[in-house]
Amino acid sequence: MTAPHTLEPLDQAIVRELAEDGRRSYTDLAERVGLSVSAVHQRVRRLEQRGVIRGYTTRLDTESIGLPLTAFVSLTPIDPAAPDDYPQRLSHISAIEACYSVAGDESYILLVRVASPAGLEDLLRQVREAAKVSTRTTVVLSTPYEGRPPAL
Amino acid sequence: MTAPHTLEPLDQAIVRELAEDGRRSYTDLAERVGLSVSAVHQRVRRLEQRGVIRGYTTRLDTESIGLPLTAFVSLTPIDPAAPDDYPQRLSHISAIEACYSVAGDESYILLVRVASPAGLEDLLRQVREAAKVSTRTTVVLSTPYEGRPPAL
DNA sequence: GATGAAAAATACAGATA
DNA sequence: TATCTGTATTTTTCATC
């Protein structure tokens, strides 16, 4: 087989630690998983190259960075026969944090972060302009939790 | 005012760099934002303490870690008068990556990651058991992009 | 913002299985 | 052949000035 869908226990342990704290040092990781620093280093490099680790990010407080308003925007193509290149057509809009292609009534769900209701209105206009879609918006009132590490 | 909702340009620059790559070194950051290493170091510490930086994570390939199936699960309380402690009641379920309280027909939207349709079925059972809610599930077919850094 | 000691990252040679 | 360990060197972190 070419792509086993389960991770070796040691890689699993490393990845679990890094998911919890993306800035954990190799020394720290080595202690936690019971390997030498070099071995951990090599494994992380390999995990990065294999694409298991896709990158490292910083969790930011959306209020502090001036984007306190989060919303889900569902898209329905106006012309069902139109070419399906919506993600591309929308990718330049930086307020869109994520784009999911979904099964169900709608075709896509966008996760967006904006500064204000006016910003949301502006975003929706941009979306409708860039892609010929109708939109349905669900405003997020609060976020009890987000970005929790997966259970491995 | 106690909490300015916009970030100082230098902090903004630092945060932008860290959002793009959470493992960027202080030396690297210093070069990019045009400050001394110590100044950057101090600022990052302060941003962490102030809660602007909430932590660091690793973006993982969901397939590689054995959780290839993503879904949105919307919750509607069965008893509208019941105490609203759903996030707490569900927080022990590790397949739930995020929980959003939303305006609209439903009360909450969960983002979940599971191994298979059977895992999804199991998760929905767990959710309905832990909270007296009805659920509506939208399966994610593909993820064109996710976790893009915010525009600062 | 600079300095310097301590810690960490990285490259590499050799051991191991 | 793969991955490990230990060592040496460079780079980074971090407290102090």
Side-chain angles (χ1 to χ4, degrees), chain A residues 23 56-61 64-67 94, chain B residues 6-25 28-34 40 43-44 47 52-53 56 59 147-152:
Chain A
R23 275 187 89 90
Y56 305 91
T57 25
T58 300
R59 273 198 309 265
L60 298 172
D61 178 56
S64 306
I65 61 173
L67 299 172
S94 59
Chain B
T6 190
L7 230 46
E8 218 191 315
L10 280 168
D11 285 337
Q12 213 171 74
I14 289 170
V15 150
R16 189 190 309 122
E17 293 299 329
L18 281 174
E20 247 178 55
D21 180 358
R23 276 186 89 90
R24 203 149 271 167
S25 73
D28 212 347
L29 290 173
E31 273 178 27
R32 286 165 191 264
V33 308
V40 169
R43 276 175 186 267
V44 172
L47 287 165
V52 176
I53 292 175
Y56 305 91
R59 272 197 310 266
R148 301 202 309 177
L152 299 172

Side-chain angles (χ1 to χ4, degrees), chain A:
Chain A
M1 66 180 69
T2 55
H5 276 219
T6 190
L7 230 48
E8 215 190 318
L10 279 168
D11 286 337
Q12 212 172 75
I14 289 169
V15 149
R16 190 191 307 124
E17 294 298 330
L18 280 174
E20 247 178 55
D21 179 359
R23 275 187 89 90
R24 202 149 271 167
S25 73
Y26 296 121
T27 311
D28 211 347
L29 289 173
E31 275 178 24
R32 286 166 191 263
V33 308
L35 274 180
S36 71
V37 176
S38 338
V40 168
H41 194 259
Q42 282 168 28
R43 275 176 184 265
V44 171
R45 278 249 171 290
R46 239 178 286 137
L47 288 165
E48 287 169 354
Q49 286 171 350
R50 284 180 19 205
V52 177
I53 291 176
R54 302 180 55 156
Y56 305 91
T57 25
T58 300
R59 273 198 309 265
L60 298 172
D61 178 56
T62 52
E63 307 236 346
S64 306
I65 61 173
L67 299 172
L69 180 47
T70 298
F72 289 100
V73 178
S74 313
L75 308 185
T76 305
I78 291 172
D79 175 7
D84 190 348
D85 58 351
Y86 301 100
Q88 272 184 342
R89 300 182 83 87
L90 298 172
S91 64
H92 68 97
I93 305 174
S94 59
I96 303 175
E97 184 179 306
C99 172
Y100 301 92
S101 165
V102 297
D105 295 335
E106 284 119 355
S107 295
Y108 291 95
I109 294 178
L110 310 178
L111 174 59
V112 308
R113 313 262 190 198
V114 292
S116 62
L120 183 55
E121 184 174 32
D122 189 56
L123 169 92
L124 292 172
R125 198 182 35 70
Q126 280 184 269
V127 167
R128 289 198 212 95
E129 257 170 44
K132 286 280 182 276
V133 291
S134 69
T135 64
R136 185 175 69 90
T137 299
T138 301
V139 170
V140 172
L141 302 172
S142 71
T143 304
Y145 36 88
E146 194 176 29
R148 301 202 309 177
L152 301 171

Side-chain angles (χ1 to χ4, degrees), chain B residues 75-135:
Chain B
L75 307 186
T76 306
I78 292 171
D79 175 6
D84 189 347
D85 57 351
Y86 300 99
Q88 272 183 344
R89 301 181 83 86
L90 299 171
S91 64
H92 67 97
I93 305 172
S94 59
I96 303 176
E97 183 178 306
C99 172
Y100 301 93
S101 165
V102 296
D105 295 336
E106 283 119 355
S107 296
Y108 291 94
I109 294 178
L110 310 178
L111 173 60
V112 307
R113 314 262 191 200
V114 293
S116 64
L120 183 55
E121 183 175 33
D122 189 54
L123 169 92
L124 292 172
R125 198 181 35 69
Q126 281 185 268
V127 167
R128 290 198 212 95
E129 256 170 43
K132 285 280 181 277
V133 292
S134 70
T135 63

